[in-house]
Amino acid sequence: MLWSKKRKYWPAPFPKEVELEAAIQEVSNDLFGPSRVYLDIKKKIGKKGKKENIPDGYLIDLSSSVRPSIYVVENELAKHHPIKHIALQILEFSLAYQDSPSLVKEILREGLKSNPDAQRKCQDYVGRSQFDNIDHLLDSIVHSQDSFQALVIIDELDS
């Protein structure tokens, strides 16, 4: 499914990944729903000398009143090999994430500061949850056991 505000569906895939990313950003509220925050942030995670990688973004899931979570997002074109390219990237994201949770938290904090709507959503969530503030919320999300989750968005999927 290909989607943007101008056209909801059309049959041709995106020629470039950057076009897919722009469409995702444009429809992120409809695509992910009102209780999720999509941050289109491309910053390196991991430790120097170990595996470092740059995810395409992060999805903060605030749909649970007691257990918010995070997804590292990778936007891909269907022409990329599912194992050699996509699965390998997800493994590398996992290793980099586990090596640098404090860096991931800082990236999320900065992303929220630069996106008032996203920050407001998180602040509203904090107001009706057990969290003291956004910093406490991000700590809980990033430093929880098994916190790494990945979401791969693909422009087209053949059978």
Side-chain angles (χ1 to χ4, degrees), residues 100-118:
S100 60
S102 296
L103 176 58
V104 171
K105 179 186 169 193
E106 184 58 32
I107 289 169
L108 294 173
R109 183 185 302 128
E110 292 302 315
L112 289 174
K113 282 182 183 176
S114 66
N115 184 330
D117 290 336

